[in-house]
Amino acid sequence: MLKPKRMMVVSKEIKSTMSNADVEQASISSELSQRKRLSGASSSVEERGLLGEDDKINKSIPHRSLFHLIAINSFAFTYGICISTFGLIILPLESEALWPNAQEALLLSIFLAICGLSQLSGPLAGYASDLCTGSWGRRRPYLLGGALVTIPSLLVLHYASQTRNFGLYLSFFFCAMLGLNVMYTSYSGALTDLVHDDQRGLANGMMGAFSVLGASFGFGCFSSFLTLNEAYFFYCICIAVAVVISLFAYTEEPFVPSGEMLETAWSWSEIAKCYWIDRIEHYDFYLVFVSRTLYYMGISAQTFMMFYFRDLIVDSDDPQADVSYLALIGQLSGAIVCIPMGILSNKLGRKPLIYLSSFVIVGAYTGFSITRHRDWAWVVGAIYGIGNGAYLSVDYALACDVLPDKNQAARYLGIWSVGSFIGTLFGPLLIGPALVIFGTPSTQPVSDKVTYEPLGYIVMIVIGSICITLGAIVVSFVRG
């Protein structure tokens, strides 16, 4: 018979062994989750084998080389070119050409609303991508499919622009934005699948840097040689190059869904979940979604900057060129801070950089409201770029930190991207009419070209600043 003291020692040893087993089991489960994120493959047989053989465990997603991270993020460069120049240059010019002698601010708001509406494809495309079982993996098929929609649509847009076909332009503008958003959803899912958590800040910094560098490159091209007629072919070439690089960079394996996923796949309840966030169960993710929506509502004021230069900047002889230079300055200043801020966010956390970026952007908006000279507007644009770059450096990383299920990253990031849709939709729908209501002179003859008074732009900036500030307040409640 064991003596009491000996029984206590044996009991402690048993508890210690059980505790160690629990730790090992938790470690194995964590490593299985990481392996699923890397390859997308998961089967009950494989899991049982891994649980029984420690030497077969893939401990984590491998750390990627700098060159591989650059290749994975190559689509961000092209996305930055397309989205930024389309919003600030192409759409204002097309608004004036397709609807002459009218309130082009209202037509521009319609264009931006269509752009936002196309982003509703993100969650559903992400869900389909998460379930894709093809030999190419989960992300590459949808990246290529999106390109096969976007490129022909851009060619039709060129034709519609030349023939001044308003209805055709609106229809294929929606198709082009739809395909582009499917591509972006595939890219964001791949970035989550392929990048180790330790490299998340660096990868997000590169994502933001490439986006603003792409925008800078696009604005530089427009300010030097690119014309409206040539722009659509330019976009096609950029998209084709990015897709080829990405197809090689996305080192995926075929996905084997679990029995539970197969049972519920494409059920109406699962499809409905693509457009719903449980405010209680996924509290942090919900707050990040709301904050992103408010941010995009706030920055949508930038879309009307060509009109701002035309009407308020007294020494602006060529508003199109001046806006291109403004955007180029802002994007370059943002690119400088993106990667350092992304790395810094791994140490300080994501939220402090959201606060900083919001403060800087609101300050820049205040500067825009009082300056009337081109050089000072460019200085303010550089400050705005720093704030925007700081935000972009942590935006995606913050969403990844609070994902409800990282094995369904594309679907949830698709839902997250809907925040930019809502912001892109409601921001211009607030700002465009406000600019018309408060900025239209009461004595302006109908035959003259439409211009807006300073009060309209002040109201525009106030609306944007309020939205940016509210977004920072909302993100302060994120607990993760």
Side-chain angles (χ1 to χ4, degrees):
M1 178 180 254
L2 292 173
K3 295 181 179 181
K5 184 179 287 188
R6 176 62 178 163
M7 290 178 66
M8 291 177 64
V9 172
V10 171
S11 175
K12 289 180 179 180
E13 291 176 348
I14 292 173
K15 290 180 179 179
S16 177
T17 302
M18 293 176 64
S19 177
N20 290 337
D22 289 340
V23 170
E24 292 174 0
Q25 183 67 28
S27 176
I28 290 171
S29 299
S30 174
E31 290 166 357
L32 279 170
S33 175
Q34 291 172 337
R35 176 165 180 168
K36 290 175 189 175
R37 244 184 302 153
L38 171 61
S39 64
S42 172
S43 67
S44 59
V45 175
E46 180 186 19
E47 290 181 13
R48 285 198 296 270
L50 286 169
L51 287 170
E53 301 179 33
D54 292 348
D55 58 314
K56 292 184 179 180
I57 295 177
N58 183 358
K59 293 184 177 181
S60 66
I61 297 174
H63 286 74
R64 306 293 178 182
S65 67
L66 182 62
F67 179 79
H68 197 176
L69 286 175
I70 290 173
I72 290 172
N73 279 289
S74 60
F75 180 75
F77 186 83
T78 293
Y79 189 77
I81 292 173
C82 296
I83 291 298
S84 297
T85 57
F86 231 110
L88 286 178
I89 297 178
I90 299 296
L91 293 184
L93 291 176
E94 294 289 13
S95 296
E96 291 181 338
L98 294 171
W99 200 353
N101 299 319
Q103 297 287 2
E104 65 265 27
L106 295 180
L107 181 56
L108 184 56
S109 297
I110 293 173
F111 275 132
L112 293 174
I114 291 174
C115 182
L117 185 64
S118 69
Q119 294 187 25
L120 285 174
S121 63
L124 197 58
Y127 178 63
S129 177
D130 286 334
L131 293 174
C132 184
T133 58
S135 59
W136 273 25
R138 297 194 289 177
R139 313 307 178 196
R140 285 181 285 192
Y142 285 87
L143 184 78
L144 180 60
L148 294 177
V149 172
T150 304
I151 292 176
S153 297
L154 287 170
L155 297 177
V156 176
L157 285 178
H158 175 263
Y159 171 78
S161 175
Q162 293 290 86
T163 59
R164 298 292 185 264
N165 192 324
F166 179 68
L168 186 67
Y169 194 95
L170 283 181
S171 301
F172 278 87
F173 174 68
F174 175 77
C175 293
M177 293 299 104
L178 187 72
L180 196 62
N181 281 294
V182 170
M183 296 171 69
Y184 183 80
T185 299
S186 303
Y187 157 65
S188 60
L191 195 61
T192 304
D193 294 342
L194 301 173
V195 177
H196 191 281
D197 285 346
D198 291 344
Q199 293 182 301
R200 185 77 61 210
L202 173 60
N204 194 175
M206 293 178 68
M207 181 188 197
F210 280 23
S211 296
V212 295
L213 284 173
S216 301
F217 178 74
F219 288 121
C221 291
F222 271 99
S223 63
S224 56
F225 68 89
L226 199 61
T227 65
L228 178 63
N229 292 333
E230 299 165 345
Y232 297 100
F233 300 106
F234 174 73
Y235 293 141
C236 291
I237 294 171
C238 292
I239 290 171
V241 171
V243 168
V244 171
I245 295 173
S246 299
L247 291 178
F248 283 101
Y250 295 175
T251 52
E252 301 180 87
E253 296 178 9
F255 174 59
V256 181
S258 65
E260 181 181 354
M261 291 183 70
L262 289 174
E263 289 177 3
T264 59
W266 294 109
S267 65
W268 286 112
S269 61
E270 287 297 306
I271 293 174
K273 288 179 182 178
C274 291
Y275 297 94
W276 178 256
I277 303 174
D278 191 311
R279 187 170 58 89
I280 304 301
E281 185 178 358
H282 306 312
Y283 178 76
D284 284 348
F285 188 70
Y286 171 78
L287 291 179
V288 170
F289 171 85
V290 173
S291 175
R292 190 170 198 254
T293 301
L294 290 167
Y295 177 81
Y296 273 87
M297 288 180 67
I299 66 169
S300 66
Q302 292 295 307
T303 308
F304 300 89
M305 290 306 291
M306 184 177 292
F307 304 149
Y308 165 83
F309 268 84
R310 182 195 66 191
D311 299 338
L312 297 190
I313 302 302
V314 296
D315 53 354
S316 177
D317 299 323
D318 187 349
Q320 178 184 343
D322 290 340
V323 169
S324 296
Y325 284 121
L326 174 74
L328 180 61
I329 292 168
Q331 300 294 346
L332 287 175
S333 64
I336 292 172
V337 304
C338 271
I339 293 179
M341 289 293 183
I343 296 173
L344 187 63
S345 72
N346 281 338
K347 298 179 180 180
L348 299 181
R350 321 296 187 197
K351 294 196 294 184
L353 295 184
I354 297 291
Y355 307 148
L356 175 63
S357 67
S358 301
F359 176 79
V360 173
I361 291 175
V362 171
Y365 274 4
T366 303
F368 280 128
S369 69
I370 61 177
T371 186
R372 295 294 181 268
H373 294 279
R374 182 177 56 189
D375 292 346
W376 280 110
W378 287 345
V379 171
V380 175
I383 297 172
Y384 171 85
I386 292 172
N388 188 49
Y391 182 88
L392 292 176
S393 69
V394 296
D395 178 33
Y396 176 83
L398 180 61
C400 290
D401 290 343
V402 297
L403 280 177
D405 183 357
K406 291 188 177 181
N407 199 41
Q408 299 184 58
R411 179 173 81 168
Y412 284 108
L413 289 172
I415 298 173
W416 168 76
S417 71
V418 172
S420 61
F421 148 67
I422 297 175
T424 304
L425 173 64
F426 286 102
L429 289 180
L430 284 174
I431 293 171
L435 182 58
V436 172
I437 293 170
F438 293 97
T440 302
S442 58
T443 59
Q444 178 170 276
V446 177
S447 59
D448 288 353
K449 190 174 182 62
V450 175
T451 59
Y452 303 110
E453 292 185 335
L455 179 60
Y457 292 100
I458 292 174
V459 173
M460 174 187 83
I461 286 169
V462 168
I463 293 173
S465 298
I466 291 173
C467 292
I468 293 289
T469 303
L470 288 176
I473 293 173
V474 169
V475 87
S476 69
F477 292 98
V478 174
R479 298 170 298 195

